[in-house]
Amino acid sequence: SISSNGKILKVKSAFFRTLAFTFVWFAVTVLSAFGQIIDILPGFNLVGDPLLIAPTSLGTLLPNPGGQLDGTLVYIYQCSGGFTVYTIDSSLPTGWGDANDTVAVLPPVINPGEGFIINNDTGVPYAWTITGTPGIPNLPPTNYCGCGSWSLLCPQTTNADSTFQDVTGFVPQNGAQVSFKTPSNGVIIPDATFSNGSWSPNVPELTNGHAAFFYVPCTNANCLNVQCPTNMVLVSCTNLP
């Protein structure tokens, strides 16, 4: 299920199956240190604005001149595990509607470091231009859901690539995970897992404009975690253990 305007909406499981298999990568063209163009391809795009330095309305970040984006759905992740769904619709007084596009609502406000999902069902790609001055990352981000939960996050810098620690503010521990896909039947499936000091199958990195789901495991603050080599041999000079 996904949520809309604070309520839980039951949806067919086929929705998430479709959501899971229509994830697309999108191209990023860097204009300068203060702006870039993100190509939003048809289908579901996990995105974020790395130049955002203060809470900002998506009505400002996603302008809709001439109704070009009408019908586009935007999914805002909730720490409860669901989504609040919005429809871009220039015919409504606010320019935004609820999930069913029947009631006008205010566009959502996005915080620095927060990722969101755009479902571009226009059938053609369009360019999303973002501008601004990079600020100092606020880590962990405002929309970090805490340890033991998934968070949909994006980089807050213009680095070419951002690591797990760059995005979350935490050094990866055993059990840390990253998912680049939308949920399947409401379940987030990891693409990379951290174990015994390394990522498998690959090191997860994000480029500007991308977002991903991040899982920070809970650790006992009173314990010292030590990564040891796997080929250590204990030698005793007696027969006693």
Side-chain angles (χ1 to χ4, degrees), residues 22 33 41 46 54 72 82 97 105 124 134 136 147 157 160 193 217 219 222 225 234:
T22 53
L41 302 181
L46 277 69
T72 296
V105 298
V124 294
I136 299 175
C147 71
T157 69
T193 300
T219 58
N222 296 321
N225 295 316
L234 177 63

Side-chain angles (χ1 to χ4, degrees), residues 84-152:
T84 302
V85 187
Y86 298 83
T87 306
I88 301 179
D89 186 345
S90 60
S91 69
L92 296 175
T94 62
W96 290 69
D98 62 1
N100 297 317
D101 199 20
T102 56
V103 178
V105 298
L106 293 176
V109 173
I110 299 298
N111 292 300
E114 180 180 2
F116 54 97
I117 299 174
I118 296 177
N119 177 14
N120 173 15
D121 64 354
T122 64
V124 294
Y126 61 83
W128 176 33
T129 302
I130 56 177
T131 59
T133 303
I136 299 175
N138 175 35
L139 298 174
T142 301
N143 287 76
Y144 167 63
C145 295
C147 71
S149 299
W150 287 96
S151 305
L152 182 53

Side-chain angles (χ1 to χ4, degrees), residues 2-9 82-86 97-100 105:
I2 55 177
S3 64
S4 176
N5 300 326
K7 298 181 180 179
I8 299 298
L9 294 176
F83 289 88
T84 302
V85 187
Y86 298 83
D98 62 1
N100 297 317
V105 298

Side-chain angles (χ1 to χ4, degrees), residues 36 38 74 76 93 99 106 109 112 132 137 142-143 151 153 163 168 171 177 181 189 220-221 232:
Q36 62 188 44
I38 301 172
V74 176
I76 305 299
L106 293 176
V109 173
T142 301
N143 287 76
S151 305
L153 306 174
T163 65
T168 66
V171 175
Q177 296 178 321
K181 298 186 295 288
I189 300 175
N220 191 328
M232 293 182 65

Side-chain angles (χ1 to χ4, degrees), residues 1-44:
S1 63
I2 55 177
S3 64
S4 176
N5 300 326
K7 298 181 180 179
I8 299 298
L9 294 176
K10 298 296 182 181
V11 296
K12 296 179 180 179
S13 60
F15 168 80
F16 279 109
R17 288 198 295 269
T18 302
L19 199 60
F21 290 104
T22 53
F23 169 74
V24 291
W25 287 100
F26 50 94
V28 175
T29 303
V30 177
L31 296 178
S32 68
F34 304 102
Q36 62 188 44
I37 294 176
I38 301 172
D39 292 328
I40 305 297
L41 302 181
F44 291 87

